[in-house]
Amino acid sequence: MRSVETLVGGEWVAPGEWIDVQNPADLRTPAFRVPALAPADVTRAYDHAERGFARWKRTGPLGRATVLTRAAALLRERAADIAVDIVTENGKTWAEAHGEALKAADFLEYYGLLVGRGGYGTLLNDARPDTRTSAQQEPLGVVLAITPWNDPLITPARKLAPALAAGNAAVLKPATETPLSGLHLARALHDAGLPAGVLNVVTGRTAQISEALLGDERIAAVTFTGSNTVGDALRTAFATRNIRFQGELGGKNASVVLADADLAKAARTVAAASFGQAGQRCTATSRVVVERAVAEEFTRLLLDEVAGIRPGPPLEEGTGVGPLSSARQRDSVVGHIEGAVKQGAKVLAGGDVPTAGELAHGCYVNPTVLGDVTAEHAIWREEVFGPVLALRVVDSLDEAIAAVNDSDFGLAAAVFTRDLHAAHRFADEAECGQIAVNLTTPGWDVHHPFGGFHDSGSPFKEQGTEALHFYTRVKTVAIHFGG
Ligand code: NAD
């Protein structure tokens, strides 16, 4: 079995025990192993980060940009190999994983250029004579980044690129299920010349290291992507310590299909948004709201699309959807489907687990469409995070907007229509951080501000120039240069 060391203090280390990483396409034998750090190793990671920060802050934006853009080039060079490892630990298809590696490179390049070549701070008028005043952004210190398994490379890149570009040091805690992708990112940055200690990766068993990870007094900010259960607990704990917290949490994203829409395009786009990456994108469409006049025709077109999405081994040509990321995730998704059926939903496609041949050894769930769903059903409200789509029929745009907003979450929503008025009303009134018109709910680029409303997020957005607000603080400096 391949053993992959982790990066602490500029060294690749394996201080003690190891922890196995499974391949969700075949659970028979573990795929890799990574170090299971002990609490004392985590504290050492913070020691290094503290020293790394002092050095990295002085490196300046142009020097930092050189490292980030070099790391971006390395990720692109290595993308094909990295993609195989992402597939192996996560289960998404090779094309999805390769796209992820390239997008991670885009994050590093974008923030390198933005911070390195862009302006930094603002000159302000000052009433005092011979006085030049500026507001300048400076880094915070040591940032803790905690990331989930669904986009195991992009999510760390989305956080570390702006954090490091702004001059912070970081401790990354990747998901236990998918540590290797984050280690590829760390390797690219290390090989590109990132000074020792600026990035440290803490792998291991969450319960064992959580106290040392979360309790360290040197944490200046915490950026977290993951479940609401964990996110809410972290938000509360860090608020009492006056530590800045960014949370990207759950979603229950809806696509609305109005009667005047191009139905074939809507069906194709919704199917891609729902079943791409086995529905394990935070922005995946998991609810469809369709106007009654076209409900039957749209459902038929959608089911035709779904019938063409073949579950299969993620490295195999022609596979439309790979396994879910773990047996726990598969069982949870199956539980949601069974619960929906018990409450009266009708299975229009899928609803079960493929058991033939190789697929019997993996964590597969067939792409599932559920009809006859009502606002009272749990499947309408609870995040499933799998290849499951719930359909609800409404009678007007007003009802459709109300149905979209009838959720604790507010991450992404889409509307399919040819009516400009309806499109603008939807964009104004849907209570989500990302709104798409005649497009998929996922698919946001590195320079698009990204983040959810309500229980999906926190006041701090990710991506684009917005992300730098989270990773910097503002200092106002007045300099009198007269005699
Ligand atoms: P999770 O909350 O179980 O875990 C996320 C991370 O937190 C993992 O690294 C995990 O090891 C760590 N963690 C959990 N408990 C911890 C503790 N006590 N101390 C320290 N670290 C701890 O989430 P998950 O199952 O990995 O990911 C799926 C969730 O992520 C879904 O709810 C999904 O919606 C959400 N997500 C949101 C976005 C977004 O941008 N809004 C993006 C992707 C995923």
Side-chain angles (χ1 to χ4, degrees):
M1 196 200 323
R2 209 167 122 206
S3 304
V4 183
E5 295 167 328
T6 195
L7 182 69
V8 177
E11 310 274 338
W12 293 95
V13 299
E17 281 180 45
W18 295 85
I19 180 169
D20 290 347
V21 179
Q22 298 290 334
N23 173 356
D26 187 344
L27 296 173
R28 284 173 293 184
T29 47
F32 324 103
R33 58 180 199 165
V34 296
L37 298 189
D41 302 319
V42 175
T43 302
R44 258 191 296 282
Y46 282 110
D47 296 342
H48 286 291
E50 190 179 27
R51 287 196 287 276
F53 172 59
R55 181 166 169 199
W56 189 234
K57 188 182 173 187
R58 284 196 308 274
T59 302
L62 285 163
R64 300 198 291 259
T66 304
V67 174
L68 263 67
T69 49
R70 222 185 266 151
L74 290 174
L75 276 186
R76 289 193 182 110
E77 264 172 52
R78 299 170 183 176
D81 291 338
I82 293 174
V84 174
D85 283 347
I86 296 176
V87 170
T88 307
E89 67 177 6
N90 168 277
K92 64 181 70 177
T93 65
W94 190 87
E96 288 165 343
H98 191 245
E100 178 165 356
L102 296 179
K103 194 162 174 187
D106 290 348
F107 273 113
L108 295 176
E109 185 177 70
Y110 170 76
Y111 283 105
L113 293 174
L114 188 71
V115 169
R117 301 289 164 191
Y120 208 69
T122 320
L123 274 182
L124 302 167
N125 296 324
D126 198 304
R128 296 164 286 193
D130 296 339
T131 304
R132 173 118 322 143
T133 296
S134 63
Q136 51 199 51
Q137 283 165 287
E138 58 180 36
L140 302 171
V142 178
V143 172
L144 168 61
I146 304 180
T147 54
W149 41 260
N150 69 312
D151 283 323
L153 181 55
I154 289 182
T155 310
R158 179 187 285 129
K159 295 177 184 307
L160 294 180
L164 299 181
N168 300 284
V171 170
L172 169 67
K173 150 75 183 79
T176 316
E177 296 87 344
T178 55
L180 206 62
S181 305
L183 290 171
H184 275 298
L185 179 63
R187 191 168 287 282
L189 284 158
H190 175 78
D191 293 350
L194 192 73
V198 178
L199 172 62
N200 307 276
V201 185
V202 169
T203 55
R205 297 183 177 87
T206 307
Q208 260 174 29
I209 55 175
S210 176
E211 210 177 308
L213 187 72
L214 306 179
D216 200 284
E217 286 181 359
R218 289 161 292 187
I219 299 172
V222 179
T223 174
F224 170 83
T225 299
S227 64
N228 283 71
T229 312
V230 177
D232 288 347
L234 296 186
R235 192 200 315 269
T236 310
F238 288 115
T240 62
R241 292 160 59 191
N242 199 19
I243 291 174
R244 201 179 275 205
F245 178 77
Q246 178 182 55
E248 294 294 351
L249 311 175
K252 191 73 195 175
N253 312 299
S255 288
V256 169
V257 181
L258 295 180
D260 71 331
D262 175 340
L263 294 184
K265 180 182 174 188
R268 205 167 50 244
T269 312
V270 167
S274 303
F275 302 111
Q277 228 173 280
Q280 299 176 121
R281 287 189 177 117
C282 54
T283 46
T285 293
S286 65
R287 301 185 291 161
V288 167
V289 180
V290 56
E291 258 193 307
R292 194 172 305 281
V294 293
E296 203 174 304
E297 190 184 351
F298 172 76
T299 305
R300 183 180 54 74
L301 291 165
L302 179 69
L303 293 178
D304 284 352
E305 292 290 338
V306 175
I309 303 174
R310 190 175 68 76
L315 284 173
E316 200 171 282
E317 193 83 15
T319 287
V321 58
L324 300 191
S325 291
S326 64
R328 183 171 61 104
Q329 186 63 10
R330 175 197 57 202
D331 297 345
S332 155
V333 169
V334 169
H336 279 285
I337 297 170
E338 287 170 357
V341 171
K342 271 199 201 115
Q343 288 193 313
K346 185 174 164 197
V347 175
L348 304 177
D352 54 358
V353 165
T355 49
E358 284 297 296
L359 302 199
H361 304 297
C363 308
Y364 296 87
V365 174
N366 283 315
T368 297
V369 180
L370 298 170
D372 293 349
V373 172
T374 71
E376 285 66 48
H377 290 169
I379 199 74
W380 184 252
R381 308 197 163 274
E382 292 173 3
E383 184 180 48
V384 176
F385 219 55
V388 180
L389 185 55
L391 287 186
R392 194 173 142 195
V393 178
V394 296
D395 287 300
S396 65
L397 173 63
D398 284 343
E399 243 189 78
I401 292 172
V404 168
N405 291 341
D406 179 25
S407 173
D408 293 336
F409 299 110
L411 189 55
V415 65
F416 292 84
T417 181
R418 292 182 170 106
D419 178 348
L420 266 182
H421 172 73
H424 280 284
R425 257 202 70 199
F426 188 83
D428 285 348
E429 294 180 26
E431 288 280 322
C432 292
Q434 280 69 228
I435 304 292
V437 177
N438 297 322
L439 290 165
T440 58
T441 43
W444 304 95
D445 210 342
V446 298
H447 58 291
H448 300 161
F450 180 87
F453 294 168
H454 305 299
D455 288 358
S456 290
S458 64
F460 292 105
K461 286 254 179 190
E462 299 202 276
Q463 303 196 167
T465 53
E466 286 283 324
L468 292 172
H469 294 305
F470 179 71
Y471 295 105
T472 54
R473 61 186 184 184
V474 176
K475 184 177 275 174
T476 310
V477 179
I479 299 176
H480 182 247
F481 53 85

